[in-house]
Amino acid sequence: MAAAVPLCLVVLLLLGPGSWGYTEPPRDSLREELVITPLPSGDVAATFQFRTRWDSDLQQEEVSHYRLFPKALGQLISKYSLRELHLSLTQGFWRTRYWGPPFLQAPSGAELWVWFQDTVTDVDESWKELSNVLSGIFCASLNFIDSTNTVTPTASFKPLGLANGTDHFFLRYAVLPREVVCTENLTPWKKLLPCSSKAGLSMLLKADRLFHTSYHSQAVHIRPVCRNAVCTSVSWELRQTLSVVFDAFVTGQGKKDWSLFRMFSRTLTEPCPLASESRVYVDITSYRQDNETLEVNPPPLTTYQDIILGTRKTYAVYDLLDTAVVNSSRNLNLQLKWKKPPENGYIHYQPAQDRLQPHLLEMLIQLPANSVTKVSIQFERALLKWTEYTPDPNHGFYVSPSILSALVPSLVAAKPVDWEESPLFNSLFPVSDGSSYFVRLYTEPLLVSLPTPDFSMPYNVICLTCTVVAVCYGSFYNLLTRTFYIEEPKTGGLVKKLANLIRRARGVPPL
């Protein structure tokens, strides 16, 4: 009985606050969203944003408990007196000419820029230590940031959050263009999310699909924001963004139609239970220049319109917290189809396979009069096997000419002809419609210069090897096949007698 009394007291103390119905409201919140945008080139862009907001002043309060905000980043803010931190890791380049302006622009490689508080005495030392710590957190080569690649801009960068001043002495900026983004960088980035990749929109973050894209950029942005309208207190905002561009010819088999499963190999099953908002936005703005309309399945319950980057946009909204959005099978697979396909083209593309088949690109287009059409293809030069080079490799390699097949309107209506009675030149390309005639044109072959190795080195190696083999083989063969005989010395001879006579004359013993 003596041991039971302390146990009852502990239970009463633990249940005491709850028994009075008091619970402290959470001071942090999570919002997640996915924006899917069909691009003018036929590709599809997907932009993830995860915003964690914490109503706490990390530099004034002593924080010991972290709920949604990552502890590793919270400690960085306190230890190094950070005002803002912006880090991006990007593979590829955003092609604004073909894809339009992006939501968030970032350079290729690794980019880091930080605003420090004005209480920091040695900014360069804090910058160096901070880059080393971030290198370990994100498994990146940020430890190579030093004074040789660090600058202090005075006009290009401004604080994105709440700032009392803009003294650029406390700003540091660096870029590592050669940084390669891979799965090792994505894994720690996902671990900073409250639900990791177990639930919510982060379930779509599958590494083998995200890196099989034309563009990949992941970023982390930390800044102070106002907690209320009058800005009497400060909150900290962590915004994790990830943008990818899927190639329509790879994921859509040459079509503009797409779905979540086709892009990410997964579908949405449930929202993140820690998120206060979880939504998917699909850009359904019609492209009037192509006379196309978009059809989304399942149909959205609500839409959102706004002016984004100077253009009025219409978005289909899917709220994952709404039970009507996720069906009874707990599976949401958004699909977008072009209701009216374009009339001026269907592109057929067959990718090449190394040493098996070439590329094939066919386009059905309608050219206006007095116009110029250019078709360009990006390619990379590579080294061939040394046995695949021609006898004159420095001359270059030829690419087959392009073929242009067209029905040209005829100025004079043609009469039906008898193929057997008419001349041969008149019946080579018969056309049933007399208002047009068939023409097939060929372009010039393209001569491409490829990297050529030094073929004198293999020649020298072959000559030296053959010489060594011939000498060694000849010597060993001579020793193995030669027959040796022992000859007995002869006892007499005229020469020997003459020599002995001379030796006697000189007083030397004979031989």
Side-chain angles (χ1 to χ4, degrees), residues 195-428:
C195 289
S196 184
S197 58
K198 306 300 182 182
L201 300 179
S202 58
M203 294 181 60
L204 302 178
L205 302 179
K206 194 175 180 181
D208 60 336
R209 301 299 300 173
L210 296 179
F211 289 101
H212 193 62
T213 55
S214 302
Y215 177 82
H216 175 100
S217 178
Q218 60 187 62
V220 173
H221 303 278
I222 302 177
R223 63 175 182 174
V225 294
C226 294
R227 190 176 305 180
N228 46 37
V230 295
C231 201
T232 56
S233 55
V234 178
S235 300
W236 284 93
E237 179 190 77
L238 166 63
R239 189 175 298 232
Q240 296 179 244
T241 63
L242 188 144
S243 301
V244 290
V245 175
F246 291 92
D247 191 345
F249 294 102
V250 176
T251 59
Q253 292 80 40
K255 302 180 181 179
K256 292 185 178 181
D257 301 342
W258 59 266
S259 64
L260 288 182
F261 186 80
R262 179 178 293 177
M263 291 189 298
F264 302 102
S265 297
R266 291 178 179 175
T267 58
L268 295 174
T269 58
E270 60 180 349
C272 175
L274 300 176
S276 60
E277 181 179 309
S278 181
R279 296 180 179 178
V280 179
Y281 296 87
V282 181
D283 187 358
I284 57 175
T285 306
S286 300
Y287 294 91
R288 296 182 179 178
Q289 63 271 21
D290 293 335
N291 194 20
E292 295 176 328
T293 57
L294 306 179
E295 181 179 358
V296 184
N297 188 28
L301 300 179
T302 58
T303 59
Y304 173 76
Q305 293 185 355
D306 201 349
I307 298 178
I308 307 298
L309 299 176
T311 305
R312 181 173 295 277
K313 295 289 187 178
T314 303
Y315 295 92
V317 183
Y318 297 87
D319 191 355
L320 299 184
L321 298 180
D322 188 356
T323 56
V325 174
V326 181
N327 52 27
S328 57
S329 61
R330 301 179 64 85
N331 182 13
L332 178 61
N333 183 24
L334 297 179
Q335 299 179 357
L336 187 145
K337 296 182 179 180
W338 296 91
K339 192 174 182 180
K340 185 178 180 181
E343 299 178 355
N344 296 334
Y346 271 116
I347 297 178
H348 172 66
Y349 175 67
Q350 176 181 331
Q353 297 181 10
D354 291 343
R355 300 174 179 86
L356 292 180
Q357 67 180 18
H359 289 275
L360 174 61
L361 176 62
E362 291 181 314
M363 296 182 294
L364 180 61
I365 57 178
Q366 183 176 358
L367 302 180
N370 300 324
S371 63
V372 178
T373 302
K374 294 183 180 180
V375 179
S376 60
I377 300 177
Q378 298 180 358
F379 66 94
E380 295 182 356
R381 293 180 171 86
L383 286 173
L384 303 178
K385 294 182 179 180
W386 72 277
T387 56
E388 297 176 347
Y389 285 91
T390 59
D392 54 345
N394 293 318
H395 179 71
F397 292 80
Y398 286 96
V399 179
S400 302
S402 301
I403 304 175
L404 177 62
S405 303
L407 287 176
V408 182
S410 178
L411 298 178
V412 179
K415 298 180 180 180
V417 295
D418 188 358
W419 294 357
E420 297 297 335
E421 298 297 333
S422 62
L424 295 178
F425 64 82
N426 193 26
S427 59
L428 182 59

Side-chain angles (χ1 to χ4, degrees), residues 64-103:
S64 59
H65 176 68
Y66 289 81
R67 180 175 173 263
L68 300 180
F69 203 92
K71 183 177 181 180
L73 299 183
Q75 292 178 344
L76 287 182
I77 298 175
S78 303
K79 181 177 180 181
Y80 296 102
S81 299
L82 301 182
R83 183 193 300 176
E84 290 187 14
L85 184 146
H86 305 275
L87 170 65
S88 64
L89 301 173
T90 305
Q91 186 74 21
F93 179 75
W94 183 274
R95 305 189 180 279
T96 307
R97 181 179 179 182
Y98 304 100
W99 298 340
F103 288 109

